[in-house]
Amino acid sequence: MNHMVRKEVFPHELIGEEIEVVDSKNKINAGIRGKVIDETRETIKVLQEGGKEAVLMKKIIVFKLVKSGKIIFGENIAKRPEDRLKG
């Protein structure tokens, strides 16, 4: 039986998820927390408390899904959401 090891990808839609940046190559992004309101191939747009929006480059951040505690490496999801869903 052939067991393929697959790197876990994050298939589902991020929009609506509450996230918190736990690490970033750009230290100014570390600690940003809010609800994802938009996503492109390269970026995630987060609405922070107080109404401030932050656009984060996926390739340089590591973030946590607040609800599940799951850690996501942005570079692993740096593609369009619809491409991610195809796997």
Side-chain angles (χ1 to χ4, degrees), residues 13-75:
E13 185 69 66
L14 280 173
I15 293 172
E17 287 282 349
E18 183 91 11
I19 68 164
E20 180 176 355
V21 178
V22 294
D23 193 22
S24 174
K25 290 181 182 147
N26 179 354
K27 294 303 173 198
I28 204 161
N29 293 332
I32 287 178
R33 181 179 174 144
K35 184 174 285 214
V36 177
I37 56 172
D38 195 20
E39 180 185 7
T40 69
R41 199 178 84 189
E42 301 285 332
T43 66
I44 297 172
K45 188 185 282 187
V46 177
L47 180 61
Q48 301 175 81
E49 230 174 81
K52 188 176 170 196
E53 290 181 7
V55 178
L56 306 168
M57 296 299 295
K58 288 181 183 177
K59 287 188 172 153
I60 65 166
I61 63 168
V62 178
F63 60 94
K64 175 175 78 174
L65 298 177
V66 173
K67 203 167 28 181
S68 68
K70 184 176 173 101
I71 301 293
I72 310 283
F73 287 81
E75 63 189 343

